Amino acid sequence: MSSSGIPPDGPLLTEDEAEDLLRCICFKTGPPRTVGVEVEWLVHELRDPRLPVPPRRLASAVDTVRTVPLASSLTFEPGGQLELSSPPAASLMECVDTLSADLDAVRDALSPLGLSLSGFGVDPWQAPRERVLREPRYDAMEAALDRTGPAGRAMMCESASVQVCLDAGHPEPGPLGYHRRWQLAHLLGAVLVAAFANSAVHGGRPTGWRSTRQALWTDLDPARALAPVPVEGEPRAAWARHVLDTPVMCVRGDEAPWHVPRGLTFRQWLRTGRPRPVSEEDLRYHLTTLFPPVRPRGHLELRMIDAQPGRDGWIVPVAVTTALFDDPEAAETVYRAVKPLAEYAGSAAAPRNPLWRAAARDGLADPWLHAAALVAFPAALEALPRMGASESVQRAVSAFHERYVIPGGCPADDLRKVAS
C-alpha cells in the first residue's frame, strides 16, 4: 500500500469517533495499583566512554543482547541507545527488583564485548551521533523534525531518560484522583527536571543548561512536545483536543519513504480524508508521535527525567516519583508545596513556560524549585517505608537528598565541574 492508497486494516474513523476513542483509551481510571519504568542508556566503550562505538560493532552488540532472556521489553533507539521497559508491577519493589535483574543480565552480556551502559541525559562526548536505525518511522521522524532545527536529531540519537509510568488514578476527587494527578504531574514534573538534571555537557562542552535534554525537547517542534493547556481543566477533553490539533508526523504506507505532510493536523486529516481515509490504527500511531512531558497512555507516562549516573541511580527518581504520587499523605503534602508554582508557570504550555525553562536551565539553584524540592523529598522519604521500600532504596533516596537537594544541586553540577 502506498501512503495515498487504501488505509491499513481497521475501522475508518470520523472526528467524533476519534475524540470518543481518545477519551476512552488515554485515561483509564481506578485505584493506583501498578508502577512501571522505562530506562534508556547510552552505550559506550568500557575502556574509555569518550571513544565512539562504531555502528557495526554496536549492531553486533545489539544482536547479542537480544538473545538474553529478560522480563522487561528490550528496544534500541535511533542512535543505538538501549531501552528496557519493565512490565507493570504491583509494587515499587517488584518493579525495582525486576528491572535491576534485567540490567545486570544486559551488562553481563555487554561487558565481554568491551561495552558499558552510561547514564547521562545527553551524550557528554559524542555529538552528533550517527543514526544507526534505518527504518521508515525514524526516516519520517527525522524529516519532520529537521524542519524546525537540529534538536530533533539530537533527541533521537544522543539523549536518554528515566520514564516513570503510574496509573491515571481514581475517577473521584482527592489526592489520588486523576484530575489532581494530572495537575500534579505538570507542576511536580518541573521539580523532577530540576532535581534530576544530568545533562550539562554535550559534545564535550558545557551547554549552559543543567538539563540539556529538556532544552532539546523544548526546541523540538512547535506543538509535538507540548502539554495541552490549560492543565487545570478536564484532562480527557484537553488531551483529546490537543491530539487532534497536533500536526501529523507521517502517513504510513507499505512503501518507503512514508509521506511527511507539512502542517496537516489530525483533525484536518479526518475531515478531508486526504491523502487517504483515516483508520483507528492511524490514530493510535499518531499518539506515539506526540512527546509531551506527561503522556497519557491509559496510565501516566512521566517523560521529563534525565538518565541518572551510576548502576542504580535510576532507582532514586522511580522511588521518589512513585511515593509522591501513590502515597495519599505524600501526594497531599507535595501538591500543597507545588501548587504555588502554577503562577510561576503562567499560561504557556510545559515545557515552554518559565517554570520548566528555569528547571532545565538552573536546576535546584532556582529558589522556587528548591523550596518545593525541600518539601517533596522528605515527604517521599516518609512515604517509602509505608510503601514497603527496602532499606537500600530508602538509603539511596536519603543520600541523594543530602548530597543534592538540601544544598540546591543536581547531578549535572558534577558534570559541570569535570568539564570546567
Side-chain angles (χ1 to χ4, degrees), residues 268-358:
Q268 291 168 333
W269 188 13
L270 286 164
R271 289 178 177 178
T272 64
R274 292 192 299 269
R276 60 162 173 77
V278 186
S279 75
E280 182 177 316
E281 284 305 307
D282 288 320
L283 177 59
R284 292 180 183 274
Y285 185 82
H286 178 59
L287 288 169
T288 71
T289 69
L290 307 184
F291 310 121
V294 184
R295 185 163 63 179
R297 304 185 66 181
H299 56 274
L300 299 181
E301 183 183 81
L302 282 75
R303 303 169 49 83
M304 71 287 295
I305 301 169
D306 281 359
Q308 296 296 289
R311 291 179 63 90
D312 299 322
W314 62 273
I315 294 174
V316 175
V318 175
V320 169
T321 305
T322 304
L324 294 177
F325 274 83
D326 286 2
D327 180 86
E329 184 177 336
E332 186 64 32
T333 297
V334 76
Y335 180 71
R336 290 196 300 267
V338 300
K339 194 173 181 180
L341 297 179
E343 183 176 352
Y344 191 170
S347 59
R352 289 199 179 143
N353 61 45
L355 172 66
W356 282 71
R357 287 187 182 275

Side-chain angles (χ1 to χ4, degrees), residues 89-109:
S91 68
L92 170 65
M93 289 312 304
E94 180 184 326
C95 177
V96 167
D97 291 343
T98 298
L99 194 56
S100 295
D102 285 346
L103 279 167
D104 286 344
V106 169
R107 289 189 175 102
D108 287 345

Side-chain angles (χ1 to χ4, degrees), residues 1-14 248-255 257-261 264-286:
M1 179 196 75
S2 69
S3 62
S4 58
I6 300 171
D9 292 340
L12 301 183
L13 281 185
T14 67
V248 173
M249 175 174 283
C250 57
V251 178
R252 295 171 301 149
D254 59 7
E255 296 176 3
W258 292 351
H259 177 47
V260 182
L264 175 70
T265 69
F266 202 90
R267 192 184 303 277
Q268 291 168 333
W269 188 13
L270 286 164
R271 289 178 177 178
T272 64
R274 292 192 299 269
R276 60 162 173 77
V278 186
S279 75
E280 182 177 316
E281 284 305 307
D282 288 320
L283 177 59
R284 292 180 183 274
Y285 185 82
H286 178 59

Side-chain angles (χ1 to χ4, degrees), residues 191 194 337-345 355 358 363-375:
V191 181
V338 300
K339 194 173 181 180
L341 297 179
E343 183 176 352
Y344 191 170
L355 172 66
L364 294 186
D366 180 275
W368 288 79
L369 290 161
H370 188 208
L374 288 172
V375 176

Side-chain angles (χ1 to χ4, degrees), residues 185-256:
H186 289 88
L187 296 174
L188 178 61
V191 181
L192 298 176
V193 169
F196 296 111
N198 186 39
S199 50
V201 179
H202 191 209
R205 296 190 301 271
T207 65
W209 297 82
R210 259 72 168 192
S211 178
T212 304
R213 174 184 168 274
Q214 187 59 58
L216 292 173
W217 284 109
T218 302
D219 292 340
L220 187 68
D221 180 278
R224 194 168 308 283
L226 298 185
V229 290
V231 296
E232 296 82 8
E234 208 291 314
R236 287 190 173 102
W239 178 247
R241 183 174 60 251
H242 177 72
V243 170
L244 296 183
D245 290 336
T246 299
V248 173
M249 175 174 283
C250 57
V251 178
R252 295 171 301 149
D254 59 7
E255 296 176 3

